[in-house]
Amino acid sequence: MSRRRTLSTKKKLALLVSAATVAGGGAFVMATTSNAAQPAQTAAESSVCQGLATALGNNEKFIEGQRAAPDAQSEARIANREAVIAQIKVQQKASGCVVGESAQGSQAAQPEAPAGNGGNGAGAGNAGNGAGEAGAGNAGAGNAGNGGGAAAGQQVCNGSTVTLSGEGGAPAASSNQFPAGTKLKVTNLDNNKSTTVEVTSVSGSCVLLNNAAFEQVREPGKFLIRRAVIEKVG
């Protein structure tokens, strides 16, 4: 009788362990399924996704401009930007964003300039020189807009947000307003970091920073600078 009771108890324990294992496995499967089912975020839902979508959109607009007004270097520029777009899509997927979502550079009310730039602050009504304003005719090399006429030390690109171009290399910028060789100082007012870079190519925005330059002023995990002050310094 005692042995039978012992065996019965062991069987009960075995059954309980098996049931717990099955329940735990089911909970794991449910949790995994739940995590996998989370929808990708859009630019409107995440500042990271907005930054990546803006970077993708600016590169797409640059390609459109090159195709509308091609020159001898357009094919190489387009191939380069297509590679950049592919990398941005990889970043979108890794960040949980909608892959391929595209947005042109958005406008925001220009923040107050740092000390020493009095008189150059810009209101929302001065956003006309913001990101994404390049026309097809501005896409070729040397065809940057008229921002080059600004004096050294003057605040420019009023109302523009700043994002990255996705291009590698040493810190640099691209622009549809300033010719190659122009030096711009970009300050992120959210962390008070700044970088001074040289414009080396044309883009679809007033200023786009390449990866190395953007890393110098970015906030961790963000791909868009909403409160930026941009100055022409040379």
Side-chain angles (χ1 to χ4, degrees), residues 39-44 46-60 84-104 163-164 223:
Q41 291 183 303
T42 65
S46 164
S47 60
V48 170
C49 297
Q50 183 180 1
L52 291 170
T54 300
L56 194 151
N58 287 334
N59 280 285
E60 287 180 336
V84 170
I85 287 174
Q87 182 58 37
I88 291 172
K89 289 181 179 179
V90 170
Q91 292 176 315
Q92 284 180 320
K93 183 176 181 179
S95 300
C97 305
V98 175
V99 177
E101 183 178 18
S102 173
Q104 291 300 318
T163 187
L164 75 168
F223 293 90

Side-chain angles (χ1 to χ4, degrees), residues 1-229:
M1 184 70 70
S2 176
R3 185 178 179 183
R4 287 180 181 177
R5 287 177 179 174
T6 302
L7 290 174
S8 178
T9 301
K10 288 181 179 179
K11 287 181 180 180
K12 288 180 179 179
L13 287 173
L15 288 172
L16 287 171
V17 171
S18 298
T21 302
V22 172
F28 175 77
V29 171
M30 290 177 65
T32 303
T33 304
S34 176
N35 289 335
Q38 290 182 354
Q41 291 183 303
T42 65
E45 297 169 327
S46 164
S47 60
V48 170
C49 297
Q50 183 180 1
L52 291 170
T54 300
L56 194 151
N58 287 334
N59 280 285
E60 287 180 336
K61 187 163 187 176
F62 175 81
I63 290 174
E64 290 175 4
Q66 288 291 305
R67 287 173 174 162
D71 59 28
Q73 299 299 319
S74 290
E75 185 175 345
R77 294 193 195 101
I78 289 172
N80 178 59
R81 293 308 176 97
E82 286 177 338
V84 170
I85 287 174
Q87 182 58 37
I88 291 172
K89 289 181 179 179
V90 170
Q91 292 176 315
Q92 284 180 320
K93 183 176 181 179
S95 300
C97 305
V98 175
V99 177
E101 183 178 18
S102 173
Q104 291 300 318
S106 61
Q107 300 299 327
Q110 183 70 11
E112 292 182 5
N117 288 330
N120 288 331
N126 292 328
N129 291 329
E133 292 298 316
N138 290 331
N143 289 330
N146 56 14
Q154 182 176 344
Q155 187 173 315
V156 295
C157 301
N158 298 326
S160 296
T161 55
V162 177
T163 187
L164 75 168
S165 66
E167 295 179 296
S174 55
S175 175
N176 68 358
Q177 297 290 321
F178 302 96
T182 303
K183 290 187 177 181
L184 301 173
K185 180 180 179 181
V186 179
T187 301
N188 182 351
L189 296 183
D190 289 327
N191 58 13
N192 293 318
K193 291 183 177 181
S194 63
T195 183
T196 299
V197 292
E198 183 175 320
V199 175
T200 58
S201 61
V202 181
S203 70
S205 296
C206 188
V207 59
L208 280 181
L209 299 178
N210 71 353
N211 291 351
F214 196 79
E215 284 295 329
Q216 294 178 342
V217 294
R218 73 182 295 182
E219 291 183 273
K222 293 187 177 181
F223 293 90
L224 180 71
I225 300 173
R226 295 179 181 276
R227 300 197 322 124
V229 169

